[in-house]
């Protein structure tokens, strides 16, 4: 902000632009509302890959490291479609998935062992993200889990909203709600036409209804049991 204000004295400073990358709400970054930098900047929300934006990944999937074609372009398009089926276009998961397939195919010489169909993609998804071991050890899944369980909001309220989204019930987006903002920053939900929906099938499978129930605070579990008996 100091450099911005000094532009009136030094026009050269108009050449300086700052870009902050990360996940946060404006309130997280404003320590003093009287000196907030947000009246001189703008927020840019990044969305997940669309099929069109992810299309260049087909080239990397089809060509092997050794120059030998790992799969036809049509097969690569089918593999990418199946990857997006699981990741929903989430950039990190999508690129990590593609890289894992690429590395696996580069490590084998026999064409029959190369990953090039939907069944192979599903099996690799299970290995990378859905198995018990990967759920505990994967850094991205651990980051999401920690954001859900250790956020500065009421966990029972957070998991209740997430439970309703996971079940397909209507939950309207509300940028003023700390609970909804936490779910969005954790990456498990996204807004679509003013409503919340699961961001992708990987997160929806890992953080399912069973996981939600297990991680509810004990007082909330007791309340639910009493309500059920009543």
């Amino acid at each position: 902000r100091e450099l911005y204000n000094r532009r009136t004295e030094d026009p050269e400073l108009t050449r300086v632009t700052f870009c902050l990358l990360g996940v946060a709400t404006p309130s997280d970054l404003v320590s003093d509302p009287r000196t907030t930098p947000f009246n001189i900047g703008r927020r840019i929300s990044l969305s997940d890959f669309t099929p069109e934006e992810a299309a260049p990944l087909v080239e990397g999937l089809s060509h092997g490291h050794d120059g030998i074609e790992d799969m036809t372009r049509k097969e690569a398009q089918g593999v990418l479609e199946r990857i997006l089926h699981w990741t929903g276009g989430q950039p990190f998961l999508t690129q990590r998935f593609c890289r894992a397939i690429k590395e696996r195919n580069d490590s084998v010489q026999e064409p029959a062992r190369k990953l090039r169909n939907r069944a192979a993609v599903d099996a690799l998804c299970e290995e990378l993200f859905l198995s018990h071991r990967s759920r505990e050890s994967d850094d991205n899944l651990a980051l999401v889990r920690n954001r859900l369980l250790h956020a500065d909001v009421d966990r029972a309220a957070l998991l209740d909203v997430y439970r309703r989204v996971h079940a397909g019930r209507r939950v309207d987006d509300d940028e003023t709600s700390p609970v909804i903002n936490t779910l969005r920053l954790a990456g498990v939900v996204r807004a679509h036409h003013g409503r919340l929906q699961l961001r992708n099938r990987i997160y929806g499978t890992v953080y399912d209804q069973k996981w939600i129930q297990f991680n509810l605070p004990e007082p909330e579990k007791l309340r639910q049991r009493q309500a059920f008996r009543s």
Side-chain angles (χ1 to χ4, degrees), residues 97-154:
F97 213 145
C98 289
R99 179 175 180 175
I101 290 178
K102 176 78 169 174
E103 292 176 344
R104 193 68 59 89
N105 284 341
D106 284 343
S107 67
V108 298
Q109 297 297 324
E110 300 86 350
R113 294 178 57 195
K114 292 184 181 292
L115 309 181
R116 55 178 65 174
N117 55 47
R118 291 179 52 170
V121 173
D122 290 350
L124 185 59
C125 184
E126 175 71 27
E127 177 184 333
L128 291 176
F129 306 110
L130 306 183
S131 66
H132 177 74
R133 178 181 178 183
S134 61
R135 294 186 188 203
E136 296 300 321
S137 61
D138 183 82
D139 289 341
N140 180 260
L141 295 179
L143 177 65
V144 173
R145 181 172 63 248
N146 289 335
R147 282 185 173 273
L148 289 173
L149 299 182
H150 303 295
D152 293 329
V153 297
D154 181 67

Side-chain angles (χ1 to χ4, degrees), residues 153-163 215-217 219-220 224:
V153 297
D154 181 67
R155 187 194 294 186
L158 180 81
L159 295 181
D160 178 64
V161 173
Y162 177 56
R163 183 206 298 274
N215 286 284
L216 282 173
E220 177 63 16
Q224 290 184 2

Side-chain angles (χ1 to χ4, degrees), residues 43-110:
R43 178 176 59 180
I44 301 174
S45 299
L46 301 182
S47 57
D48 292 331
F49 289 154
T50 64
E52 293 73 24
E53 291 169 338
L57 296 171
V58 168
E59 196 70 22
L61 289 170
S62 58
H63 290 87
H65 180 70
D66 53 5
I68 301 175
E69 189 178 72
D70 283 337
M71 62 184 83
T72 66
R73 188 171 186 84
K74 183 177 181 180
E75 288 173 331
Q77 289 173 338
V79 166
L80 181 59
E81 287 176 4
R82 194 60 179 177
I83 291 174
L84 295 178
H85 165 84
W86 284 106
T87 68
Q90 202 268 20
F92 176 81
L93 295 178
T94 301
Q95 294 179 88
R96 182 174 174 220
F97 213 145
C98 289
R99 179 175 180 175
I101 290 178
K102 176 78 169 174
E103 292 176 344
R104 193 68 59 89
N105 284 341
D106 284 343
S107 67
V108 298
Q109 297 297 324
E110 300 86 350

Side-chain angles (χ1 to χ4, degrees), residues 207-224:
Y207 306 112
D208 57 8
Q209 295 287 337
K210 184 177 179 180
W211 181 89
I212 296 170
Q213 185 64 31
F214 179 81
N215 286 284
L216 282 173
E218 286 303 321
E220 177 63 16
K221 292 181 181 178
L222 178 61
R223 186 196 68 79
Q224 290 184 2

